[in-house]
Amino acid sequence: MKDVIDELKKIGFNSYEAKVYVALLKKFPATGYEVSQMADIPQSRAYDALKSLLEDNIVTSTNDKPQKYSPIAPKELTKRYKRKVNSTIEFLDKRLPNVKENYNEPLHSISGYENILEKIKEIIQNAKKSVYLEIWGEDYKNIEQELKDAYDRDVEIKIVALGEYKINFGLVYYHHGARGIEYNAGSRLIYLLADNEESLFGKIQSDVSWTTNHHIAYLLLNFIVHDMYLLDVEQNFPEQLKYFYGAGMKKLKSKILSGDVGLNIH
């Protein structure tokens, strides 16, 4: 019963109240003394807990001497708390945004590969309209099922696939310079945007940033979309681009990136 008591504590019961309620479910009606024996707690604590549960209408009592107590049904308890929680959430949804005007969502850091993967899966599972993604094959295989499930529920999936692997659904552009990017960045990278609202980006092997800041979402959408624009042009006009800009667009990079740029940019 420890797991049940622990879960009751999560919805607002203290330890003694949880033990008393569970004890009463096993045998009722019961006197305060009987409850303390069944719950294995001091008699004074049992009466304190019973008084509190009576005030919250979770326990009822008789006018007998000695007084006897009975619990409300578990279904009634859970139904009541669902209503209470839903009401609280609705209230907070309406009022919290008004606490501070012009609130800007900060960047949150997530570290550790497994933690990052779990957050990526959660974002994709919650997506309702669209997912834009740039990802390496080593990492794609770990979230492929979540992407397929999203695609099956009519979420638009648009991916820049970094590396040599195949994706059989959604709109996919293949970027074959993945190893060079990984070398320059010192890590595989991840860029993820869901519903044009929720962003996750960074070095997937170590740490990433996650946010619902709409300014970051706008920047990330532009970044991914412009990568797709360029890859589409490269696919359709490879010889022309090579003629004008050289292999690997070397001339274009030299034109745009000055020698004092401190970042390795693909």
Side-chain angles (χ1 to χ4, degrees), residues 133-134 159-163 171-178 181 223-238 241 249 266:
L133 175 66
E134 295 202 19
I159 301 174
V160 173
L162 290 143
L171 176 65
V172 183
Y173 288 99
Y174 293 95
H175 195 310
H176 301 294
I181 298 170
F223 173 83
I224 297 174
V225 165
H226 280 82
D227 260 4
M228 290 179 171
Y229 286 166
L230 186 56
L231 289 168
D232 196 290
V233 172
E234 284 181 343
Q235 287 175 14
N236 288 287
F237 303 97
L241 288 172
M249 295 201 173
H266 68 280

Side-chain angles (χ1 to χ4, degrees), residues 10-232:
K10 289 180 183 179
I11 64 170
F13 284 62
N14 66 34
S15 180
Y16 293 115
E17 290 166 349
K19 289 178 180 178
V20 163
Y21 180 73
V22 169
L24 279 172
L25 288 177
K26 294 177 180 178
K27 180 181 180 298
F28 64 89
T31 64
Y33 172 77
E34 290 171 331
V35 169
S36 72
Q37 294 296 303
M38 291 187 295
D40 193 25
I41 60 176
Q43 195 169 344
S44 60
R45 294 294 190 182
Y47 280 109
D48 288 342
L50 285 165
K51 180 181 178 182
S52 176
L53 293 172
L54 279 168
E55 290 173 353
D56 290 336
N57 297 314
I58 294 170
V59 163
T60 60
S61 65
T62 68
N63 293 321
D64 300 335
K65 292 195 177 186
Q67 204 169 19
K68 293 185 177 180
Y69 303 89
S70 298
I72 63 171
K75 289 286 187 183
E76 175 59 29
L77 178 76
T78 54
K79 184 168 66 175
R80 185 183 301 179
Y81 271 87
K82 282 179 184 176
R83 287 198 301 266
K84 183 178 179 181
V85 169
N86 288 339
S87 175
T88 300
I89 294 299
E90 288 174 7
F91 174 83
L92 293 175
D93 269 344
K94 292 177 182 177
R95 299 295 294 275
L96 275 179
N98 299 324
V99 172
K100 183 181 185 302
E101 292 183 5
N102 301 319
Y103 173 78
N104 283 320
E105 175 72 23
L107 289 174
H108 305 279
S109 181
I110 304 173
S111 300
Y113 188 68
E114 292 304 321
N115 293 331
I116 293 169
L117 280 181
E118 285 305 308
K119 188 61 182 179
I120 292 170
K121 291 177 181 179
E122 177 189 312
I123 292 171
I124 295 169
Q125 287 166 349
N126 291 334
K128 295 179 175 62
K129 299 176 182 177
S130 64
V131 169
Y132 286 83
L133 175 66
E134 295 202 19
I135 192 167
W136 264 254
E138 295 93 322
D139 309 306
Y140 168 80
K141 66 183 181 182
N142 292 318
I143 61 168
E144 182 177 27
Q145 189 59 55
E146 284 72 21
L147 287 166
K148 283 182 177 178
D149 291 344
Y151 181 76
D152 288 342
R153 62 175 187 270
D154 294 326
V155 174
E156 288 188 336
I157 305 295
K158 300 180 180 182
I159 301 174
V160 173
L162 290 143
E164 306 299 326
Y165 63 101
K166 291 295 181 183
I167 302 172
N168 299 316
F169 58 91
L171 176 65
V172 183
Y173 288 99
Y174 293 95
H175 195 310
H176 301 294
R179 292 307 164 204
I181 298 170
E182 183 178 355
Y183 175 79
N184 288 333
S187 172
R188 297 193 303 274
L189 304 175
I190 176 79
Y191 302 100
L192 170 63
L193 176 64
D195 295 337
N196 294 339
E197 294 178 354
E198 193 169 7
S199 309
L200 184 146
F201 56 93
K203 296 181 176 181
I204 194 170
Q205 293 161 279
S206 55
D207 61 278
V208 298
S209 295
W210 164 76
T211 185
T212 56
N213 184 297
H214 66 278
H215 298 297
I216 299 296
Y218 177 76
L219 288 173
L220 194 58
L221 178 63
N222 273 269
F223 173 83
I224 297 174
V225 165
H226 280 82
D227 260 4
M228 290 179 171
Y229 286 166
L230 186 56
L231 289 168
D232 196 290

